[in-house]
Amino acid sequence: MNATPLLEVRKLTVRFRTGATTVEAVRGIDLTVAEGEVLGVIGESGSGKTVSGLAILRLLPANAEVTAECLAFRGKPLLTLNDEAFRSLRGTRFAMVFQSPAGSFNPAKSIGWHLARTIERARSRPGRATADEIIDPVRRLAEVGIPQPERVLRLYPHQLSGGMLQRALIAMVLLLEPDLIIADEPTTNLDNIVERQIIALFRRLRERTRAALMFITHDMTIAAALADRIAVMYAGEIVESGPTPDIFATPRHPYTRALIDTALQLERKVAQLREIPGEMPSFAELPLGCAFAPRCPRADADCRRGRPTMVALSPQHNVRCIHHD
């Protein structure tokens, strides 16, 4: 494997200014994604995982302040690029699949129009193959499982179901052939059958393409099916990270264990689901010590004295918990 990660993130912090108040929504996270790797970023709603993905691609609103010790793509720093230079990379070298695909489409334009604009963007990439069979929109729609692709090209976004529209968005991303895809909970608003189809689609695409994938989800089952490595986020920070088999076999953070237990209960279809007690804390009122302490069955006075540091259990497995052993 190449020693230089495709994406390297160190001490990424995101703050939002709201009037006279500043809220820190991402608190110094470290991430790496290697060539062709799938990194699963897991956590409940409000954990900061989506904000992290949007920050990497410069898609946050104007009141967001993004800082990092390192934010590099193929070893080249991204924070120092001006907006024009960054936009030349976004949509060619890296791209995003959003949770709600409707927001990625102009409702007044056909699916064919959107794919044609994407092809124009793809052809502008230096060194990009331009053979018609490589960037044929009909072929790409068929590849993501859309029946009658020639007919679908004439349809408008509102004429497609949520699952079909998500597939069309994935087809647009594939036309760009990016090096890195950030997928933000792309199955959240879909029913169980369509969700399984989209997950299977991502598995097939992973086998066919060379793109690395940062897959953001709240579902440990999805992460187990797709990810090589997992980073678990809670209250704006990463609390555990490591290879997927290690995370599932020996989870060392109580929050990771709770997420896995919940996923297993859903798989077994138990009569009564045991939920994680309590709620995610507000970023404006984070506890002084471990952010998970108010919900943790193992928390004690030491947990509440100070914010735990990340501990390396092995070269690849890290955990932010003083009771990890």
Side-chain angles (χ1 to χ4, degrees), residues 72-127:
F73 183 73
R74 293 194 184 282
K76 297 180 179 179
L78 296 177
L79 287 177
T80 55
L81 294 180
N82 61 36
D83 289 342
E84 182 179 355
F86 193 89
R87 282 195 296 269
S88 71
L89 294 174
R90 189 177 61 218
T92 55
R93 307 306 296 273
F94 34 77
M96 192 160 191
V97 177
F98 294 94
Q99 180 180 138
S100 175
S104 301
F105 291 86
N106 183 334
K109 301 294 185 179
S110 69
I111 300 300
W113 180 90
H114 287 87
L115 267 68
R117 301 290 80 74
T118 304
I119 289 171
E120 290 177 6
R121 179 78 169 169
R123 289 183 185 277
S124 70
R125 174 173 167 176

Side-chain angles (χ1 to χ4, degrees), residues 52-239:
S52 300
L54 294 174
I56 291 168
L57 295 189
R58 286 197 195 178
L59 293 173
L60 291 172
N63 70 327
E65 176 191 356
V66 179
T67 60
E69 285 186 6
C70 175
L71 181 54
F73 183 73
R74 293 194 184 282
K76 297 180 179 179
L78 296 177
L79 287 177
T80 55
L81 294 180
N82 61 36
D83 289 342
E84 182 179 355
F86 193 89
R87 282 195 296 269
S88 71
L89 294 174
R90 189 177 61 218
T92 55
R93 307 306 296 273
F94 34 77
M96 192 160 191
V97 177
F98 294 94
Q99 180 180 138
S100 175
S104 301
F105 291 86
N106 183 334
K109 301 294 185 179
S110 69
I111 300 300
W113 180 90
H114 287 87
L115 267 68
R117 301 290 80 74
T118 304
I119 289 171
E120 290 177 6
R121 179 78 169 169
R123 289 183 185 277
S124 70
R125 174 173 167 176
R128 176 66 160 78
T130 57
D132 289 342
E133 65 270 18
I134 299 297
I135 52 179
D136 174 24
V138 172
R139 178 180 175 181
R140 286 303 193 216
L141 288 180
E143 185 178 24
V144 298
I146 292 181
Q148 299 180 299
E150 296 89 346
R151 182 184 70 87
V152 170
L153 287 173
R154 299 191 295 271
L155 299 180
Y156 289 81
H158 71 274
Q159 294 176 295
L160 272 65
S161 68
M164 286 295 106
L165 201 58
Q166 189 65 278
R167 290 172 188 268
L169 178 57
I170 294 170
M172 290 167 58
V173 169
L174 289 177
L175 281 167
L176 295 167
E177 293 192 347
D179 300 307
L180 172 68
I181 300 170
I182 298 179
D184 181 20
E185 305 214 42
T187 64
T188 294
N189 297 317
L190 306 177
D191 63 47
N192 289 338
I193 294 176
V194 178
E195 178 185 79
R196 289 196 294 270
Q197 292 172 346
I198 295 296
I199 293 169
L201 170 60
F202 271 105
R203 283 203 204 97
R204 293 197 304 273
L205 295 178
R206 186 204 174 172
E207 294 171 358
R208 192 195 66 77
T209 70
R210 295 168 297 180
L213 178 63
M214 179 175 162
F215 198 97
I216 297 169
T217 180
H218 63 274
D219 191 332
M220 272 289 190
T221 305
I222 294 176
L226 285 175
D228 300 301
R229 287 188 302 115
I230 287 175
V232 181
M233 287 195 71
Y234 186 82
E237 61 186 2
I238 293 175
V239 297

Side-chain angles (χ1 to χ4, degrees), residues 307-318:
R307 181 183 177 190
T309 58
M310 192 70 90
V311 177
L313 305 175
S314 73
Q316 291 186 301
H317 194 169
N318 303 283

Side-chain angles (χ1 to χ4, degrees), residues 32-49:
T32 60
V33 185
E35 298 267 6
E37 182 182 41
V38 179
L39 173 68
V41 181
I42 317 298
E44 295 169 280
S45 296
S47 62
K49 55 192 189 299

